[in-house]
Amino acid sequence: MRLLKKYGALYVMMVPVIAYFLVFAYYPLVKGLQTSFQDYKLMGDRPYVGFANYKEVLHDSLFWEAMVNTLVIGGGILLFGFISPLVIALSLNEVLRTWFKKMAQMILYVPHLLSWVVVGGIWIFMLSPDSGIVNMILVHLFHRTPINFLADSGYARWIMILLSTWKEMGYTCILFLAGIVSINPSLYEAARMDGATRWQQLTYVTLPQLNNTMKVVFLLNTLGILRIFDQVFILRNPTIASKVDVLMMYTFQKGILEIKLGPAAAASFFVLVLTLALTLVVRRMTRFDEV
């Protein structure tokens, strides 16, 4: 009772947060798990069918096709979305003019603030084979024939990877810059006194001190590998669907378009379990607990 009286205000402040997660996170999770074991209909009886929905998903070739697409696209986003912001953050850290550094950060961060609807519209226009700036450069500077990037299955996955990397690069870059700023300046002074070059300072001071930040960023990026949806939904078309349809798109098609809520719920729980397993593996490999 003493603790309740002492920290009562804090407990009251926690009530809306706990209620939010119970109503909008845990209840849908439990309800989805229940649905995955039912022959779920919008009206009428909803009998339990055991693991029939899971078996249906596992025997569906489209599910495994979506799995491959998810791993390829998600793996590419994880790799490029980690390395590119790191390189840019390390480069910006070497810039001496503060105004240029701040302007570069602002320009890089703007795409993160835009929705995928806006970003998709921008790049659909830029990649257009008729009036897109990319094809104009190819035609006038390199004398190439226009390429319909968004209808060519050979470019489809790369477009998803590179656009996702471009959109989130500014946000991740700021996380790395925050980690760089927190490094003790005395370490650089000691390195300079020992005659270390800028490259040696980067190799032996900046990167080792940035290790914990890199672990956090890599783990956060790993959580999103199997939950790719927005960019695929906006940029896909029937011509490239077989190369870009991912697990969340498969769930959307089953649940919303085909009204097969049981298999859709089962597929979503496969995504949940795989995300958990992948996160645990990455956590163990990166020794995240030692942050």
Side-chain angles (χ1 to χ4, degrees):
M1 290 298 295
R2 290 178 56 189
L3 291 176
L4 186 61
K5 290 181 180 179
K6 185 176 181 180
Y7 300 108
L10 296 177
Y11 293 141
V12 172
M13 292 172 63
M14 290 172 62
V15 169
V17 179
I18 295 173
Y20 172 84
F21 281 103
L22 287 176
V23 174
F24 295 106
Y26 295 110
Y27 173 74
L29 184 67
V30 174
K31 188 66 177 177
L33 181 61
Q34 179 187 15
T35 302
S36 70
F37 291 105
Q38 292 178 300
D39 181 11
Y40 197 92
K41 301 180 181 66
L42 296 179
M43 298 179 64
D45 295 333
R46 298 162 183 170
Y48 286 91
V49 293
F51 289 95
N53 291 323
Y54 290 91
K55 292 178 181 177
E56 179 181 340
V57 170
L58 289 176
H59 287 87
D60 190 349
S61 61
L62 292 177
F63 173 79
W64 293 108
E65 188 177 90
M67 175 71 76
V68 172
N69 291 337
T70 303
L71 294 177
V72 172
I73 297 174
I77 293 173
L78 178 64
L79 179 63
F80 287 95
F82 179 82
I83 295 176
S84 300
L86 178 60
V87 172
I88 292 177
L90 293 173
S91 301
L92 286 177
N93 187 55
E94 300 298 319
V95 175
L96 298 179
R97 296 189 180 277
T98 306
W99 67 268
F100 181 83
K101 185 185 296 186
K102 290 183 178 179
M103 184 176 67
Q105 290 179 39
M106 181 187 69
I107 293 172
L108 287 170
Y109 190 73
V110 167
H112 173 73
L113 301 176
L114 303 177
S115 71
W116 266 109
V117 176
V118 176
V119 172
I122 291 171
W123 282 98
I124 287 172
F125 174 74
M126 292 183 68
L127 296 174
S128 169
D130 300 321
S131 57
I133 188 171
V134 175
N135 273 301
M136 289 176 65
I137 292 172
L138 289 176
V139 171
H140 295 291
L141 293 183
F142 298 98
H143 306 290
R144 296 280 302 274
T145 57
I147 301 173
N148 194 348
F149 290 99
L150 294 175
D152 191 329
S153 58
Y155 293 101
R157 288 173 175 172
W158 280 109
I159 288 174
M160 298 298 171
I161 292 170
L162 295 178
L163 292 192
S164 297
T165 301
W166 172 79
K167 185 179 184 300
E168 299 302 326
M169 186 183 297
Y171 174 76
T172 311
C173 181
I174 287 177
L175 295 180
F176 284 131
L177 283 171
I180 293 172
V181 170
S182 66
I183 298 174
N184 192 338
S186 62
L187 296 175
Y188 292 104
E189 294 177 6
R192 284 193 294 268
M193 291 178 65
D194 290 337
T197 63
R198 296 297 297 177
W199 178 256
Q200 289 172 329
Q201 291 177 43
L202 172 66
T203 305
Y204 297 106
V205 178
T206 306
L207 289 177
Q209 292 297 315
L210 204 58
N211 185 47
N212 291 341
T213 304
M214 289 192 288
K215 287 182 180 180
V216 173
V217 170
F218 193 78
L219 185 64
L220 289 175
N221 289 350
T222 301
L223 291 172
I225 286 180
L226 303 180
R227 296 187 293 110
I228 306 164
F229 176 75
D230 294 352
Q231 59 267 52
V232 175
F233 182 77
I234 297 298
L235 296 170
R236 77 185 288 274
N237 58 68
T239 306
I240 61 172
S242 62
K243 293 292 184 180
V244 300
D245 278 355
V246 291
L247 288 175
M248 296 306 296
M249 194 68 202
Y250 174 86
T251 303
F252 171 79
Q253 289 175 329
K254 284 290 183 183
I256 304 300
L257 302 182
E258 300 179 20
I259 318 296
K260 295 182 178 179
L261 300 181
S268 69
F269 269 88
F270 276 124
V271 174
L272 179 64
V273 171
L274 289 172
T275 300
L276 178 61
L278 188 60
T279 303
L280 291 175
V281 170
V282 171
R283 182 171 181 148
R284 179 65 62 87
M285 290 176 61
T286 58
R287 300 180 180 179
F288 186 81
D289 295 333
E290 297 179 9
V291 170

